[in-house]
Amino acid sequence: MTKIDIFSGFLGAGKTTLIKKLLKEALGGEKVVLIENEFGEIGIDGGFMKEAGIQVTEMNSGCICCSLVGDFGKALRQVIDTYHPDRILIEPSGVGKLSDVIRAVEGVEKDLPEASMGSFVTVADATKCRMYVKNFGEFFLNQIEYAGTILLSRTQKLTQEKLEAVVALLREHNAKARIITTPWEELTGEQILSAMQKDHSLAEEMLAAVMAQREEAHAHHPHEHDHQEHHDHEHDHGHEHDHEHHEDGHGACSCGHHDHDHEDGHGACSCGHHHHGHDADEVFTSWGVETVRAFGEQELAGMLARLEEERFGLVLRAKGIVPCRDGGWLHFDYTPGEQDVRRGPADFTGRLCVIGSKLSETELSKLFDVA
């Protein structure tokens, strides 16, 4: 039997850090496969996971709903047939909706008796929850609402009063999830895994809620086919997405159809894509380049600090691996107000990736001097 666990979490929350901890401290005796679905033009995380002996299937760019329901389901079936793992860890895009991933996994699970749904985990940066609710509530709150376990990262940076306020905020949107507030370095991977697995009955409740939501949407649109059956509609995977957040509040499906407001709050376009507001690729954009340019360590740190400036757009995450001017390679991560530049193993070429809203590719190219 293959157990499937989903690790959701907004950009830079710490999903990958958590997965590495579990692999090292709790899952060493299991055959594990990690499936990533990255939003962005360049996959960065795959390299170090492969070093750890973990098979990674990266699905970059593309339209979100097709990668979740089409390519995603195919990849999941292929992984189970090829590797027969004890456990599959799914790390969706940081801007993906957890309910979409649950639906996609459920679609595979019902056809594969050897697969079973495990835990729905959301990693949330405690220092940024309020900001994310304010600016990206539709996506962030979906991950909170459908989680069986919520692991708060960076709680050590908050006062007790602020931590309690964050927990209260999350409880407004999920009254049942197990919320872990203890700093991760004080917990073992086995303790975290144990807490996750205790959410199984709750995970089943969340799955039931997702399926009920889909059935309700179908009831309002009885002539529409299931997305998977209708996946052969005219889909141009090479098309340019509209990355602007529409001011009129209507989302556009990746096939070009606009959804409409319904009394139940759910939209569905004529191609069978069901919407709960906007798709990620309407609100978020990504910019990525490959470069042979060498960077100084302090120079790179200074560039990352400047990403706070408005002229670059709203930058939510930046990461990359680039050559260092005095030899070796630099690995970096950035989230608003926090950055990490460190030495690391070489890559086949330098790679930079920035994710955010209304990004200026021109200004980013100038900043990193890769125009």
Side-chain angles (χ1 to χ4, degrees):
M1 182 66 70
T2 298
K3 182 176 289 187
I4 303 173
D5 297 317
I6 303 172
F7 290 83
S8 181
F10 214 62
L11 298 155
K15 298 191 300 293
T16 302
T17 300
L18 172 64
I19 290 172
K20 288 173 68 178
K21 182 177 180 70
L22 291 174
L23 290 172
K24 181 179 180 181
E25 300 177 11
L27 300 176
E30 297 188 19
K31 187 175 182 180
V32 180
V33 171
L34 171 70
I35 295 181
E36 291 182 321
N37 176 38
E38 290 202 357
F39 181 95
E41 296 177 14
I42 296 180
I44 303 294
D45 288 336
F48 77 78
M49 285 295 184
K50 287 170 185 169
E51 291 169 17
I54 305 299
Q55 178 70 28
V56 179
T57 301
E58 287 184 299
M59 296 171 284
N60 296 332
S61 295
C63 66
I64 298 298
C65 46
C66 279
S67 60
L68 285 177
V69 179
D71 300 344
F72 180 86
K74 181 180 178 182
L76 198 54
R77 287 183 175 88
Q78 184 178 359
V79 162
I80 292 174
D81 291 341
T82 304
Y83 300 101
H84 307 288
D86 299 310
R87 191 182 298 262
I88 293 176
L89 309 181
I90 297 177
E91 184 183 358
S93 161
V95 296
K97 291 183 179 179
L98 179 54
S99 59
D100 288 344
V101 186
I102 293 171
R103 271 197 297 272
V105 173
E106 191 275 341
V108 174
E109 182 197 28
K110 67 182 181 183
D111 295 333
L112 291 173
E114 64 270 37
S116 67
M117 192 76 83
S119 303
F120 308 154
V121 180
T122 291
V123 183
D125 184 337
T127 67
K128 296 184 174 68
C129 286
R130 288 193 178 279
M131 186 269 281
Y132 288 156
V133 168
K134 180 180 178 181
N135 292 298
F136 303 102
E138 180 184 344
F139 297 91
F140 179 69
L141 290 178
N142 182 276
Q143 295 177 357
I144 297 300
E145 290 165 1
Y146 288 93
T149 300
I150 300 172
L151 281 90
L152 288 176
S153 60
R154 302 179 177 91
T155 55
Q156 67 273 23
K157 297 187 176 184
L158 297 182
T159 63
Q160 183 65 26
E161 182 180 10
K162 289 185 177 180
L163 179 57
E164 290 174 0
V166 168
V167 172
L169 174 66
L170 298 179
R171 281 289 179 222
E172 291 177 13
H173 302 279
N174 190 328
K176 296 182 179 180
R178 181 182 297 265
I179 299 180
I180 299 177
T181 60
T182 304
W184 296 0
E185 60 267 23
E186 298 177 22
L187 297 172
T188 65
E190 290 182 349
Q191 286 176 304
I192 294 175
L193 184 64
S194 176
M196 286 168 41
Q197 292 177 335
K198 287 177 181 177
D199 79 4
H200 189 61
S201 61
L202 180 58
E204 291 174 348
E205 285 183 31
M206 295 296 179
L207 176 59
V210 169
M211 298 312 295
Q213 190 180 61
R214 183 167 69 174
E215 288 171 7
E216 181 182 5
H218 274 276
H220 283 269
H221 308 280
H223 300 297
E224 290 177 356
H225 299 289
D226 182 81
H227 188 145
Q228 283 179 284
E229 297 172 358
H230 208 61
H231 190 68
D232 60 351
H233 62 70
E234 293 81 1
H235 232 296
D236 179 5
H237 286 265
H239 70 275
E240 292 293 322
H241 290 294
D242 175 14
H243 294 297
E244 296 299 319
H245 195 163
H246 298 293
E247 293 181 2
D248 64 0
H250 299 305
C253 171
S254 54
C255 64
H257 295 286
H258 287 271
D259 64 9
H260 304 284
D261 292 333
H262 297 271
E263 291 180 359
D264 66 351
H266 305 316
C269 79
S270 58
C271 68
H273 294 211
H274 289 282
H275 294 280
H276 311 289
H278 298 88
D279 287 337
D281 50 359
E282 291 180 88
V283 181
F284 303 98
T285 55
S286 66
W287 170 84
V289 295
E290 293 185 354
T291 179
V292 296
R293 184 191 188 284
F295 294 78
E297 194 165 348
Q298 292 303 315
E299 175 193 27
L300 182 57
M303 292 173 172
L304 297 179
R306 292 175 61 189
L307 290 175
E308 304 277 353
E309 298 173 15
E310 291 184 6
R311 63 193 176 97
F312 300 109
L314 178 57
V315 177
L316 296 172
R317 184 81 194 274
K319 62 195 301 185
I321 304 170
V322 294
C324 183
R325 188 169 293 137
D326 57 5
W329 288 73
L330 296 174
H331 293 224
F332 70 85
D333 286 279
Y334 166 90
T335 56
E338 189 172 337
Q339 61 171 274
D340 176 35
V341 179
R342 61 200 180 277
R343 299 279 177 160
D347 204 346
F348 64 87
T349 190
R351 295 187 282 170
L352 303 157
C353 186
V354 177
I355 299 173
S357 178
K358 298 182 179 178
L359 298 179
S360 171
E361 296 188 5
T362 301
E363 292 297 331
L364 289 169
S365 296
K366 290 179 182 177
L367 173 65
F368 290 104
D369 194 19
V370 292

